């Protein structure tokens, strides 16, 4: 599994999709699974910018992983977002014959984040929801990197400020260096 990390608006979905398409791998987006779930109680949480409950998101990600059985690698976007989910991913990955192989962190400054989010027009891109998502990223999601580092997982940091193609080229270089089978 290659896990994409980054603040909202960092381009992690765009980049995760490009990598998966380029390599013919599976792409799993936690946010997209939730948006597709069509459940009003989930929608309300998405609109607040807060995290949905552990069981909800782990159930959806587990189902998605089980559908990727025949694919060499899986790109995961937006999961794990806290320590509990990280532990779940490592422990349950084994069940699906998957290990966390690489973490890609896309870095971007806050001014660019606000500009990108206010122009993309998603319905959870309100000022309050954006603030909540940025706070959760700093408080809950950032510490996840330490957790994975202690587990011995390779983490690469990518400058997300270029064009999608420029960022993709940097990511491809790192993935090739990792020699994922
Ligand atoms: P994203 O598509 O990554 O911007 O995520 C959109 C929203 O989905 C987030 O603001 C959260 O409300 C929810 N979400 C995404 N991933 C997770 C996760 N791993 N755990 C809980 N909630 C999540």
């Amino acid at each position: 599994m290659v896990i994409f990390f980054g603040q909202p608006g960092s381009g992690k979905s765009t980049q995760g999709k490009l990598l998966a398409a380029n390599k013919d791998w599976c792409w799993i987006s936690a946010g997209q699974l939730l948006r597709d779930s069509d459940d009003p109680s989930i929608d309300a949480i998405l609109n607040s910018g807060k995290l949905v409950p552990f069981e909800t998101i782990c159930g959806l990600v587990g189902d998605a992983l089980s559908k990727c059985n025949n694919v060499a690698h899986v790109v995961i976007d937006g999961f794990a977002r806290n320590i509990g989910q990280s532990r779940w991913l490592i422990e349950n990955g084994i069940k699906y014959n998957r290990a966390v192989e690489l973490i890609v962190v896309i870095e971007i400054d806050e001014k660019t984040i606000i500009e990108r989010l206010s122009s993309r027009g998603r319905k959870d891109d309100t000022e309050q929801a954006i603030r909540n998502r940025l706070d959760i990223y700093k408080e809950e999601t950032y510490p996840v990197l330490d957790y994975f580092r202690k587990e011995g997982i390779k983490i690469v940091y990518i400058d997300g400020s270029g064009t999608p193609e420029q960022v993709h080229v940097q990511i491809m270089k790192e993935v090739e260096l990792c020699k994922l089978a």
Side-chain angles (χ1 to χ4, degrees):
M1 293 182 282
V2 178
I3 315 287
F4 273 72
F5 258 78
Q7 312 224 47
S10 60
K12 64 183 179 339
S13 298
T14 304
Q15 292 303 327
K17 266 190 234 170
L18 282 173
L19 172 62
N22 189 328
K23 305 288 276 182
D24 254 334
W25 293 347
C26 227
W27 178 70
I28 297 176
S29 155
Q32 197 57 51
L33 289 172
L34 291 163
R35 281 187 288 281
D36 290 344
S37 69
D38 242 355
D39 174 333
S41 65
I42 290 180
D43 259 5
I45 302 175
L46 295 197
N47 290 337
S48 75
K50 298 195 175 145
L51 298 184
V52 305
F54 176 85
E55 290 74 19
T56 308
I57 189 62
C58 293
L60 287 170
V61 171
D63 287 348
L65 279 171
S66 65
K67 289 182 191 143
C68 296
N69 268 344
N70 300 322
V71 178
H73 295 277
V74 178
V75 175
I76 302 192
D77 158 15
F79 188 91
R81 265 174 146 108
N82 59 25
I83 300 288
Q85 293 179 4
S86 317
R87 213 172 281 135
W88 182 93
L89 192 60
I90 289 188
E91 286 167 7
N92 286 269
I94 299 163
K95 208 162 82 187
Y96 304 102
N97 263 327
R98 301 278 176 201
V100 180
E101 297 156 295
L102 175 66
I103 312 268
V104 177
V105 185
I106 305 190
E107 296 192 296
I108 190 144
D109 62 275
E110 228 160 86
K111 192 172 150 268
T112 313
I113 290 175
I114 306 288
E115 278 168 16
R116 285 190 186 174
L117 293 185
S118 41
S119 67
R120 77 179 176 181
R122 220 168 72 184
K123 74 178 191 303
D124 60 341
D125 286 338
T126 59
E127 202 185 325
Q128 185 59 48
I130 291 172
R131 204 171 304 129
N132 283 341
R133 275 148 61 204
L134 291 174
D135 286 351
I136 290 172
Y137 188 82
K138 281 176 202 149
E139 286 158 23
E140 294 193 50
T141 309
Y142 225 56
V144 164
L145 292 177
D146 266 342
Y147 175 83
F148 282 131
R149 192 174 292 114
K150 283 183 193 136
E151 292 287 322
I153 294 159
K154 181 172 178 188
I155 303 176
V156 295
Y157 293 84
I158 302 288
D159 172 5
S161 63
T163 64
E165 291 71 26
Q166 286 166 337
V167 178
H168 177 61
V169 168
Q170 292 180 63
I171 292 172
M172 286 306 292
K173 265 189 210 149
E174 294 293 347
V175 169
E176 301 303 345
L177 277 176
C178 256
K179 298 197 180 0
L180 303 181

